[in-house]
Amino acid sequence: MLSKERESAVVELCQKLIRQRSYSGEEQGVVQVLQENMEALGFDEVTVDRYGNIIGCIKGKRPGKKLLFDGHIDTVPATNAAEWQHPPFAAEIHDGKIYGRGTSDMKGAVAAMICATANFAQDTNKDFAGEIYVAGVVHEECFEGVAAREISKLVQPDYVVIGEASQLNLKIGQRGRAEIVIETFGIPCHSANPEKGVNAVYKMAKVIDAIRTLVPPHHSVLGDGILELTDIKSSPYPGASVVPEYCRATYDRRLLVGETKESVLVPIQQLLNQLMAQDPELKVTASYAVGVEKCHTGNEIEGERFFPGWLYEENSDFVQSVFNQLKEMGYHPSITQYNFCTNGSHYAGEAGIKTFGLGPSKENLAHTVDEHIEIDQLTKVTDCYYGIMQALLK
């Protein structure tokens, strides 16, 4: 367990991070705090890449594996601070909990990663095999794994630890996520004479009904590859006295292991082809949404919204090494999967890097009013990250 001095250090760093508001694209304040702390704690290298990710490295005296701790530093907005019992950016402590936006998701984990790495380097005098990296990742709330591509390109890690909330349990997989865009194209006309045009919304309504008949694929561990309608828009809008010529519907598709961009669209496109064959007036397409966001560095980050699922076996050597080490330290983690998407979509799903998740706090606190993290969880996860280094950097 941590000494009182080390407990205070991780709590104070977590509070400093919370006090820096860091909505996606506005993470520069957190980056500055992390850079100052990494340099003060003896990190050998600190880098900020073109997207604004910050990556700190401590190198062991002996050659070995590269271990990357991944934690995103952007948060969703605190839309109405008046609803919060405690201010969302004050990092106040009440009843053993730190309150604020990003405490659970996931600045607490980032603070723990940095402190654990510094503790391990100090205790070993850097006499360990390998290299430890801690990445503060931007724009994860916009699209999981896109900014992480830059990090894995730079680091080329052998192992990745995702610090998303897990209550100190090990997570060895997740469903991925895709945003699928369905578009229908009509013919505009005056709404007083609708027969002279083709209403794209009416066409979309038929398409939506048909899509609901598709049976989702199923995975014995990860569950269903659901396809759920999340929004619908028509054009022109507002459409005063105009039959809409265009309609766009967005679907959230949860991805299973092994699914590809091509395979996911096949059943949807087959259905659309059938509908168009039955209705000569129907013109409809399916594609993936593309996101473009401005980074705090001034650069743009862009990515197609397709983030693969991934899953490792419970008996994998690296999973068992960490599991057994944590048990020896007095922890009792279960081995399960995340029920949401993480940067693991890139590391494991795209790049095939050995990845698992372990973080403090409860998953259901993310994005909520009065988000908080228990100090007990924060200090314990710092200890657990230390144990992970012991397990994987031998």
Side-chain angles (χ1 to χ4, degrees):
M1 299 301 293
L2 301 185
S3 66
K4 291 296 182 183
E5 182 181 358
R6 287 180 171 180
E7 284 186 6
S8 296
V10 71
V11 169
E12 288 174 12
L13 179 53
C14 179
Q15 288 179 295
K16 287 180 182 178
L17 298 180
I18 298 307
R19 290 173 184 142
Q20 297 292 328
R21 198 188 84 169
S22 58
Y23 299 160
S24 300
E26 302 174 13
E27 302 96 340
Q28 61 271 18
V30 170
V31 169
Q32 183 177 347
V33 171
L34 291 179
Q35 184 163 0
E36 290 170 355
N37 276 267
M38 287 176 175
E39 290 172 352
L41 290 169
F43 278 65
D44 297 314
E45 297 173 359
V46 182
T47 304
V48 179
D49 67 20
R50 64 190 179 111
Y51 291 151
N53 299 310
I54 181 167
I55 306 103
C57 174
I58 291 182
K59 297 183 178 181
K61 293 180 179 178
R62 291 176 280 120
K65 302 291 187 180
K66 293 180 179 181
L67 172 61
L68 169 64
F69 289 91
D70 174 286
H72 70 83
I73 55 176
D74 63 324
T75 74
V76 297
T79 52
N80 187 354
E83 295 179 353
W84 289 61
Q85 182 180 1
H86 306 292
F89 302 106
E92 294 180 2
I93 295 176
H94 300 276
D95 300 322
K97 302 170 184 175
I98 307 172
Y99 283 83
R101 173 59 79 224
T103 45
S104 175
D105 186 25
M106 54 178 292
K107 293 177 179 178
V110 173
M113 291 168 174
I114 290 170
C115 290
T117 300
N119 295 344
F120 185 73
Q122 181 182 22
D123 291 349
T124 60
N125 193 28
K126 297 186 181 180
D127 188 15
F128 62 88
E131 301 173 12
I132 307 166
Y133 293 82
V134 179
V137 189
V138 300
H139 279 296
E140 191 273 350
E141 297 290 1
C142 300
F143 25 46
E144 304 90 334
V146 177
R149 292 171 185 159
E150 287 292 299
I151 296 167
S152 67
K153 189 189 306 180
L154 172 70
V155 175
Q156 298 182 342
D158 296 288
Y159 305 106
V160 175
V161 182
I162 302 293
E164 294 278 11
S166 74
Q167 288 190 281
L168 310 184
N169 293 309
L170 287 168
K171 303 291 185 176
I172 57 172
Q174 59 163 80
R175 287 185 299 184
R177 182 174 72 88
E179 290 182 25
I180 297 175
V181 175
I182 306 295
E183 297 172 285
T184 53
F185 305 88
I187 299 173
C189 67
H190 199 290
S191 57
N193 304 293
E195 72 281 357
K196 297 185 180 296
V198 175
N199 191 314
V201 176
Y202 288 156
K203 298 301 182 184
M204 181 63 79
K206 293 180 179 179
V207 171
I208 290 171
D209 281 343
I211 287 177
R212 294 189 69 182
T213 68
L214 292 174
V215 177
H218 180 79
H219 187 277
S220 58
V221 175
L222 298 178
D224 288 339
I226 62 171
L227 181 65
E228 186 67 17
L229 178 67
T230 55
D231 68 46
I232 185 166
K233 300 177 182 178
S234 62
S235 180
Y237 182 86
S241 300
V242 180
V243 167
E245 63 180 314
Y246 172 78
C247 190
R248 171 189 171 112
T250 305
Y251 282 82
D252 183 313
R253 172 65 153 81
R254 294 291 149 163
L255 303 172
L256 306 180
V257 175
E259 292 193 301
T260 65
K261 292 179 182 179
E262 295 75 22
S263 69
V264 167
L265 286 184
V266 165
I268 297 171
Q269 191 60 58
Q270 288 176 343
L271 178 64
L272 300 184
N273 290 343
Q274 292 174 9
L275 294 174
M276 286 188 285
Q278 296 165 6
D279 181 359
E281 287 187 339
L282 175 62
K283 295 180 180 179
V284 57
T285 62
S287 62
Y288 293 105
V290 175
V292 181
E293 301 286 343
K294 181 74 75 174
C295 300
H296 71 84
T297 57
N299 294 319
E300 284 189 341
I301 183 170
E302 179 177 340
E304 200 168 40
R305 296 189 185 278
F306 186 96
F307 315 113
W310 55 280
L311 182 66
Y312 284 98
E313 296 291 337
E314 186 173 329
N315 60 4
S316 298
D317 289 346
F318 73 102
V319 175
Q320 287 300 309
S321 293
V322 171
F323 178 73
N324 290 328
Q325 175 67 35
L326 295 178
K327 282 179 62 179
E328 287 178 15
M329 295 168 65
Y331 296 100
H332 303 283
S334 61
I335 302 178
T336 57
Q337 302 79 39
Y338 282 122
N339 63 10
F340 52 84
C341 202
T342 74
N343 277 339
S345 285
H346 164 65
Y347 297 116
E350 292 180 345
I353 301 166
K354 294 176 179 178
T355 300
F356 62 93
L358 188 148
S361 193
K362 301 174 183 176
E363 297 177 24
N364 61 5
L365 289 174
H367 305 185
T368 60
V369 171
D370 289 329
E371 182 183 350
H372 60 268
I373 186 171
E374 295 178 347
I375 290 176
D376 181 64
Q377 283 277 300
L378 182 60
T379 57
K380 283 180 177 177
V381 81
T382 308
D383 196 36
C384 288
Y385 290 153
Y386 191 110
I388 289 170
M389 296 176 221
Q390 291 178 306
L392 298 178
L393 299 179
K394 293 179 178 178

